[in-house]
Structures are given as structure tokens and as C-alpha cells.
Amino acid sequence: MPCEECENGKVKWGKTGECQYDSIAECEAANKDYYEKTTSIVELVINDDNQELAIDAISLVSAPAIEQDFVYFGKEKNNLTFAKFDEEKRMLVSPALIPNKQIFRYDPNTDSEYYVYFSPETVRKASELYLKHNNHHKATYEHQDRVSGVLTVESWVKEGDMDKSKLYGFDLPNGTWFVKMKIQNDELWQKIKAGELKGLSIEGYFTDKMEAMSEKAPTNEEILKALNEIITKSNE
């Protein structure tokens, strides 16, 4: 949604709004007219010519685009002590992509607001390509600096109600891509413990599905079918 949490605990409307609301619900109610406008919703897909760039890295961020915070294992209260992981393991679990989740985007070049989403098929393909191209060791901080000491040690896609993501407190739809990461970077681990970093956000190359379809060259079968239709119509 366009409503975003501010560092002071307040909520603002959009990227440049004033931090004046007490909750996301209050922000949305105050800007309800926005939802009556026609806003484009774009499905993003993986370009077959750039599969190695599908998921280039995973970024640790303060405001994850999918609006889901990760959980981390530590000795402190409220941090999955029941899982018997101690702080020395420095592990965190988080969704990386949620299928059909509408993610708000703003394009400053066109001053336009829109939503993007990924189908379950694209989410699964992205998770597979992420490992296939050995990107499990690539991570960034707030989509800017590449950081070391962050390694994805486990990756899976939820397939049913018995999925282990439930053990970590997540109740997300089937098809959600989860990762478990080991954080050996001292500075990042302290930011996670302090609540400064709250989730993950993917970095990669995707394209608009409709644009991809319009740019795709027709197959021989499609060309023959079109010719047959022309011939049939000319003989009628």
C-alpha cells in the first residue's frame, strides 16, 4: 500500500508524504479517494534472455516491499527461543517473495503510481534461478552497498499447511518463497537485533508481462496458423 511507516513510528502517505498518521489504517482512510482512481496493476515475469539476472541478490532493508518482517533466532525474549537456536548461530528466516502480493511502486520519470505482482510460477522459477546461478552468497544493505558475511543456507517454497514456515510464525499463502540466512556480519547483526533492519527485498531483472508478449517473435506454428486463416478467409 502507499502508506508507509516512518522512523518516528508515525505513518506517511507515499514516498514524500508527511509523517502525520498514527496507523496505516488511519492513513488509508484519510486517502480513500485514491483507491477509487484507476491504478495499473502489472504482472512481472522473468525474461528468458536474462534468466541469470532474475534474482541477482537479496537486500536487508528497514522497510521490505512485501510488507513482511523476518524473524531472527536469539536468546532475547520474543525471538523464537522455543526453537532452541542460540544467538551464536545468527540465523534469520524471511519470505523473499509472496505470490500475487500487490507491491506499490512509484515511477519518478513519469510521476505515476502503480502495483506489481508475481505469479506463483514466477516466484518458483525465481527461487530456482537464484540457486542455479550461485547467488546465495550475494547480499546488499538497503539496495545500495554489497555486503559480506550474509549467506542463504536454506531456500524453499511453501507447498501446504504443514509447511515449516508455520513454526516461525508465518501464515502466508502456498507458493511463498522463504529463505533462511546466516548473518556473520557483526554490523548487520546488531542492526537486526536493534530492529533497524526488518526484512528482505529482492534485487533482480524482471519485465512487464504484456511488454514481453508484444516483443516476442511469433513461432513457426503461429505464422502458419495466421497464413491458413488468411487463405481460408480469401476462399470464402
Side-chain angles (χ1 to χ4, degrees):
M1 292 295 183
C3 293
E4 297 185 1
E5 293 186 4
C6 304
E7 293 183 357
N8 63 1
K10 292 286 188 177
V11 176
K12 65 181 180 179
W13 175 259
K15 296 293 184 183
T16 58
E18 183 180 350
C19 299
Q20 57 181 316
Y21 303 106
D22 293 326
S23 66
I24 289 180
E26 180 183 343
C27 173
E28 292 177 351
N31 296 277
K32 62 181 180 180
D33 291 343
Y34 170 85
Y35 295 99
E36 297 176 359
K37 298 178 182 179
T38 301
T39 304
S40 61
I41 300 176
V42 179
E43 179 183 353
L44 296 183
V45 296
I46 296 172
N47 191 312
D48 290 337
D49 296 329
N50 296 281
Q51 289 192 359
E52 70 278 7
L53 300 177
I55 303 292
D56 182 57
I58 292 180
S59 188
L60 287 88
V61 296
S62 58
I66 58 175
E67 300 172 349
Q68 288 287 333
D69 296 350
F70 51 55
V71 294
Y72 73 89
F73 306 115
K75 292 180 179 178
E76 297 83 356
K77 292 190 297 183
N78 302 323
N79 284 308
L80 293 181
T81 53
F82 68 88
K84 298 183 179 179
F85 280 86
D86 61 30
E87 187 178 335
E88 298 305 315
K89 291 187 179 293
R90 294 191 176 189
M91 295 284 192
L92 63 82
V93 173
S94 175
L97 275 179
I98 302 173
N100 300 320
K101 170 76 175 180
Q102 292 184 12
I103 304 170
F104 178 73
R105 284 290 178 264
Y106 171 73
D107 186 348
N109 296 320
T110 60
D111 190 29
S112 60
E113 298 175 340
Y114 61 102
Y115 290 91
V116 299
Y117 75 96
F118 302 89
S119 71
E121 293 77 15
T122 298
V123 171
R124 178 174 292 279
K125 188 174 182 180
S127 71
E128 294 171 353
L129 291 172
Y130 171 69
L131 296 179
K132 177 181 179 180
H133 294 287
N134 198 33
N135 290 330
H136 62 286
H137 64 287
K138 295 182 179 179
T140 64
Y141 170 67
E142 293 288 8
H143 289 297
Q144 296 179 11
D145 301 325
R146 185 62 65 91
V147 293
S148 60
V150 179
L151 179 69
T152 298
V153 296
E154 197 169 344
S155 170
W156 77 93
V157 175
K158 180 180 177 182
E159 295 183 340
D161 292 337
M162 300 301 291
D163 187 78
K164 60 185 173 183
S165 60
K166 296 272 190 176
L167 297 175
Y168 304 123
F170 293 107
D171 186 16
L172 293 172
N174 290 336
T176 297
W177 172 26
F178 287 93
V179 294
K180 179 187 285 187
M181 307 184 84
K182 185 173 182 63
I183 312 298
Q184 297 175 307
N185 184 302
D186 292 340
E187 183 178 355
L188 290 179
W189 185 248
Q190 292 305 316
K191 289 181 180 294
I192 290 170
K193 287 177 60 180
E196 296 177 29
L197 295 176
K198 297 182 178 181
L200 305 180
S201 185
I202 63 168
E203 292 184 1
Y205 179 81
F206 296 87
T207 187
D208 182 329
K209 181 178 181 180
M210 296 306 295
E211 290 182 2
M213 290 177 65
S214 65
E215 295 173 359
K216 184 179 179 181
T219 63
N220 291 334
E221 290 78 8
E222 291 171 335
I223 293 174
L224 289 173
K225 182 180 179 180
L227 288 174
N228 287 331
E229 290 178 353
I230 293 173
I231 294 172
T232 300
K233 289 183 179 179
S234 64
N235 292 331
E236 290 178 351

